[in-house]
Amino acid sequence: MIAAERGAGKNTLDAYARDLADVSERLQAVGRSVLDARTEDFRAYLAGLTARGFKATSVARKLSAVRQLCRFLYAEGHRKDDPTAMIEGPRRGRSLPKILSVAEVDRLIETARALAARTEQSEGERLRALRMICLLEVLYATGLRVSELIALPAAAARRDERMLVVRGKGSKERMVILNGAARDAMKTWLAALAEAGRFEGSRWLFPSFSETGHLTRQHAARELKDLAIAAGLRPDKVSPHVLRHAFASHLLQNGADLRSVQMLLGHADISTTQIYTHVLEERLKSLVRDLHPLADEG
């Protein structure tokens, strides 16, 4: 149902499969199944997750998977009730997203360019550096999810266009803006690949020998952490998702409105985008402090 009706991607489907397999296994251990489990059985399962050391966010995700399954079973007539309807999820404090400063993003890009410009290096090392420049420039220019970034087609770089259509979560399409640096980085990267005779005929912007034919999320994240170390930044502070946060935060700092950022990020609900409101609050405070005629009298 979530694949056919909601257009869920592979990562979402895999996560649901793991979560539902886990609850099914725990219910079987007490002689139950999802078809006859009671509310107290599911409450005991959730309590067991906490005892097993799962964080509140993981417990909430597993509860969401169970809820959706029970609702589906009830709607399809496989159950006469929904035993999860009265279960409250764990309270979660919403943590602020990790972000990088503009100077830190600049340092990452400058380090990648310096690595690509080294004279004493193998062809493979130079190609990896050029690929990293391309990954960084496109990611910071667009705020794409890493899964969207690695699955970009090579055709995206062959059209001299300022807009790019991206298929995101739920197979929903949205437009993102490409700046000149991102377009140049894509063309330089593909030209270097062609010159080296690598991955001829590949349809992907970031081809590899992986099962999918393109760079994996894990590989992109590892190389970004290696770059962070080379740039003198803490590797635990840098990831593709942190750069997505940086894209959004820096837009808001420079005057973008929350609704526009929501559209660019591909958030279905603006409440998801509201994790960045702390950036807006700081900007509004500085506006009042710097521009209000009575600011200095307080």
Side-chain angles (χ1 to χ4, degrees):
M1 183 272 288
I2 61 173
E5 296 181 15
R6 299 185 185 175
K10 182 180 182 302
N11 294 332
T12 301
L13 295 175
D14 289 345
Y16 271 90
R18 287 193 300 271
D19 289 342
L20 294 179
D22 183 59
V23 69
S24 179
E25 180 182 332
R26 297 286 166 169
L27 288 174
Q28 286 176 9
V30 295
R32 296 282 181 180
S33 75
V34 291
L35 291 175
D36 61 11
R38 302 158 302 178
T39 299
E40 50 264 39
D41 295 319
F42 287 113
R43 283 201 173 112
Y45 168 70
L46 295 174
L49 289 174
T50 303
R52 286 156 61 189
F54 282 90
K55 295 180 179 179
T57 51
S58 298
V59 175
R61 191 196 71 233
K62 289 178 182 291
L63 174 58
S64 174
V66 172
R67 272 184 177 149
Q68 292 191 56
L69 175 61
C70 288
R71 286 172 188 166
F72 174 79
L73 294 174
Y74 176 68
E76 295 292 316
H78 299 295
R79 286 198 61 129
K80 294 182 179 180
D81 64 341
D82 177 1
T84 64
M86 301 300 293
I87 298 178
E88 291 186 5
R91 293 181 177 271
R92 292 182 291 170
R94 193 144 203 186
S95 58
L96 294 178
K98 295 179 182 177
I99 60 170
L100 296 170
S101 67
V102 174
E104 288 171 328
V105 175
D106 286 342
R107 196 190 313 175
L108 283 172
I109 295 173
E110 288 168 5
T111 302
R113 286 176 176 164
L115 290 173
R118 287 189 308 173
T119 54
E120 295 182 6
Q121 62 179 328
S122 67
E123 181 180 70
E125 289 172 331
R126 179 173 176 272
L127 286 175
R128 280 195 297 275
L130 288 174
R131 182 177 67 187
M132 179 50 67
I133 294 172
C134 187
L135 284 164
L136 279 172
E137 292 284 11
V138 175
L139 188 55
Y140 186 51
T142 62
L144 291 177
R145 299 178 180 92
V146 65
S147 56
E148 297 166 344
L149 177 70
I150 59 176
L152 284 176
R158 298 190 179 117
R159 298 188 300 267
D160 191 19
E161 297 179 0
R162 296 181 179 274
M163 305 290 285
L164 190 64
V165 178
V166 178
R167 189 181 296 275
K169 285 187 175 181
S171 295
K172 293 179 181 177
E173 292 186 343
R174 72 182 189 278
M175 300 287 288
V176 295
I177 300 170
L178 285 172
N179 60 22
R183 294 198 304 273
D184 291 345
M186 289 194 297
K187 290 176 182 177
T188 300
W189 158 240
L190 284 186
L193 265 187
E195 184 180 348
R198 304 280 188 97
F199 296 104
E200 294 180 4
S202 174
R203 59 179 289 233
W204 305 110
L205 179 59
F206 302 108
S208 80
F209 294 109
S210 69
E211 185 179 342
T212 59
H214 58 66
L215 192 67
T216 65
R217 294 178 298 123
Q218 295 83 355
H219 196 152
R222 282 197 304 271
E223 292 208 350
L224 187 54
K225 289 189 181 299
D226 289 341
L227 179 66
I229 294 171
L233 299 174
R234 285 173 43 189
D236 63 333
K237 189 180 178 182
V238 180
S239 72
H241 207 64
V242 168
L243 279 166
R244 176 171 158 87
H245 287 322
F247 162 83
S249 298
H250 297 168
L251 278 179
L252 290 168
Q253 286 171 359
N254 286 283
D257 64 275
L258 204 61
R259 184 69 69 180
S260 298
V261 173
Q262 176 198 358
M263 293 174 61
L264 291 170
L265 291 175
H267 287 161
D269 193 326
I270 198 168
S271 64
T272 308
T273 321
Q274 284 174 342
I275 59 172
Y276 301 106
T277 52
H278 70 288
V279 176
L280 281 178
E281 288 168 5
E282 289 303 316
R283 182 169 171 272
L284 290 172
K285 287 177 186 176
S286 66
L287 282 175
V288 172
R289 184 180 61 246
D290 298 338
L291 302 178
H292 196 284
L294 302 180
D296 292 335
E297 296 185 12

